[in-house]
Amino acid sequence: MLRVLCLLRPWRPLRARGCASDGAARGSEIQVRALAGPDQGITEILMNRPSARNALGNVFVSELLESLAQLREDWQVRVLLFRSGVKGVFCAGADLKEREQMSEAEVGVFVQRLRGLMNDIASSAVMGLIETTRGLLPGAGGTQRLPRCLGVALAKELIFTGRRLSGTEAHALGLVNHAVAQNEEGHAAYQRARALAREILPQAPIAVRLGKVAIDRGMEVDIASGMAIEGMCYAQNIPTRDRLEGMAAFREKRPPKFVGK
């Protein structure tokens, strides 16, 4: 068995500005760690709000938005992993207890910020589905993302019923890419995600970034417009050193060494 040695840097909190809630006094709910050694370029975001099963509360969302804003400017980050620090749960979805204490105006502002967060992390619509069982409408993009993933009929069925799905069921429907059996340590999903991150890590970062833009933006328009978006992205990749390195490596029959330039 091939074993990979991974050097880990300490978790570092990113403190949210101008926010205060029950989580503020107990430490950061979002922490960031950059991996080192052979995994350098992979950064992990640790979600750590055990008292509410990582529910999307005000401080949690604020800290996560700030973390993403800072990481977006860090060109050393090639792959970003979201990881739960709470055993047995990834994210419980909306913090309905906290939202119950908000005024109507506060709810509107918060949901708008939450919608922006979901766009930032390209989250699936699943997180918003169970809100219908609490008398709420999915407000963070669930009514728009789910039909695009599964089709209108099935999206309506899941949203109208508020049905909870297991990982296996979500995988069968195509809502998640992978479903893995849990291991004794309880981190099988994290290990699968990290393995996938290692596959992405050696690829040309500019090409990966532009590919993501082309897919995300292209899905919002008709195919002809999407092809135009792809063309613009491809044009931006032509003058890069990485493209020349990729062609040289192919010609010389050696692994490429991409630098992100």
Side-chain angles (χ1 to χ4, degrees):
M1 177 183 294
L2 178 64
R3 300 187 66 180
V4 180
L5 175 64
C6 298
L7 305 177
L8 301 181
R9 299 174 183 173
W11 291 104
R12 56 184 176 89
L14 287 175
R15 189 173 300 168
R17 294 184 289 265
C19 285
S21 80
D22 60 343
R26 295 196 300 271
S28 297
E29 297 175 0
I30 298 296
Q31 300 173 28
V32 177
R33 177 174 65 182
L35 304 188
D39 283 347
Q40 184 173 357
I42 300 174
T43 293
E44 297 180 350
I45 285 184
L46 180 75
M47 302 180 295
N48 191 36
R49 193 187 178 202
S51 62
R53 297 170 57 84
N54 287 340
L56 300 170
N58 194 26
V59 168
F60 186 98
V61 170
S62 295
E63 291 184 359
L64 187 50
L65 283 169
E66 182 173 358
S67 299
L68 292 171
Q70 293 185 27
L71 292 171
R72 193 177 291 113
E73 303 302 321
D74 187 348
W75 294 103
Q76 294 183 353
V77 177
R78 294 194 179 187
V79 187
L80 185 61
L81 290 182
F82 287 83
R83 183 181 184 184
S84 173
V86 182
K87 187 176 181 179
V89 64
F90 183 72
C91 176
D95 187 338
L96 300 184
K97 292 182 180 178
E98 182 179 275
R99 193 175 299 183
E100 189 178 15
Q101 306 302 316
M102 297 179 180
S103 67
E104 292 183 6
E106 289 172 334
V107 170
V109 172
F110 178 76
V111 170
Q112 186 64 34
R113 294 173 62 236
L114 188 57
R115 190 176 293 121
L117 173 63
M118 295 298 103
N119 287 334
D120 276 349
I121 65 177
S123 172
S124 75
V126 177
M127 298 177 76
L129 291 183
I130 63 172
E131 288 193 349
T132 54
T133 67
R134 308 296 201 283
L136 302 175
L137 171 75
T143 62
Q144 300 306 304
R145 292 191 183 90
L146 198 62
R148 287 166 168 79
C149 291
L150 303 180
V152 173
L154 187 52
K156 285 182 176 180
E157 177 181 329
L158 293 176
I159 290 175
F160 293 171
T161 61
R163 184 181 305 150
R164 295 173 182 262
L165 300 175
S166 67
T168 302
E169 290 170 330
H171 181 252
L173 291 175
L175 279 174
V176 297
N177 289 1
H178 306 278
V180 294
Q182 188 59 280
N183 56 22
E184 293 183 0
E185 294 80 8
H187 58 24
Y190 166 69
Q191 292 298 328
R192 182 64 188 90
R194 190 150 158 180
L196 180 58
R198 288 170 177 155
E199 288 188 65
I200 299 172
L201 186 59
Q203 309 308 319
I206 296 176
V208 171
R209 190 178 308 120
L210 290 172
K212 182 178 180 181
V213 170
I215 293 170
D216 290 347
R217 297 293 180 263
M219 288 299 295
E220 299 172 356
V221 297
D222 61 87
I223 190 168
S225 301
M227 295 294 287
I229 292 172
E230 181 188 271
M232 289 186 287
C233 290
Y234 189 85
Q236 293 180 55
N237 193 57
I238 290 176
T240 64
R241 288 168 52 186
D242 280 352
R243 186 182 73 91
L244 298 177
E245 165 63 12
M247 292 190 297
F250 178 78
R251 182 178 64 253
E252 298 165 10
K253 295 181 173 55
R254 59 172 175 82
K257 297 180 180 179
F258 298 121
V259 296
K261 296 181 180 179

Short mmCIF file of all heavy atoms in Angstrom, two decimals, residues 13 129 133 153 205:
data_model
loop_
_atom_site.label_atom_id
_atom_site.label_comp_id
_atom_site.label_asym_id
_atom_site.label_seq_id
_atom_site.Cartn_x
_atom_site.Cartn_y
_atom_site.Cartn_z
N PRO A 13 -8.08 30.51 12.84
CA PRO A 13 -9.43 31.08 12.73
C PRO A 13 -9.41 32.36 11.91
O PRO A 13 -8.43 33.09 11.89
CB PRO A 13 -9.80 31.37 14.18
CG PRO A 13 -8.49 31.63 14.85
CD PRO A 13 -7.48 30.74 14.16
N LEU A 129 -33.84 21.79 1.28
CA LEU A 129 -35.04 20.99 1.03
C LEU A 129 -35.90 20.83 2.28
O LEU A 129 -37.12 20.95 2.22
CB LEU A 129 -34.64 19.62 0.51
CG LEU A 129 -34.03 19.59 -0.89
CD1 LEU A 129 -33.76 18.15 -1.28
CD2 LEU A 129 -34.93 20.24 -1.91
N THR A 133 -40.54 21.29 5.54
CA THR A 133 -41.18 20.58 6.64
C THR A 133 -41.38 21.50 7.84
O THR A 133 -42.07 21.13 8.79
CB THR A 133 -40.35 19.36 7.07
OG1 THR A 133 -39.11 19.80 7.64
CG2 THR A 133 -40.07 18.46 5.89
N ALA A 153 -39.87 18.02 -12.41
CA ALA A 153 -40.82 17.13 -11.73
C ALA A 153 -40.25 16.57 -10.43
O ALA A 153 -40.90 16.62 -9.37
CB ALA A 153 -41.23 15.99 -12.66
N PRO A 205 -3.66 25.22 -12.85
CA PRO A 205 -4.66 25.96 -12.07
C PRO A 205 -5.45 26.99 -12.87
O PRO A 205 -6.64 27.19 -12.61
CB PRO A 205 -3.82 26.63 -10.97
CG PRO A 205 -2.42 26.59 -11.46
CD PRO A 205 -2.29 25.40 -12.33
#
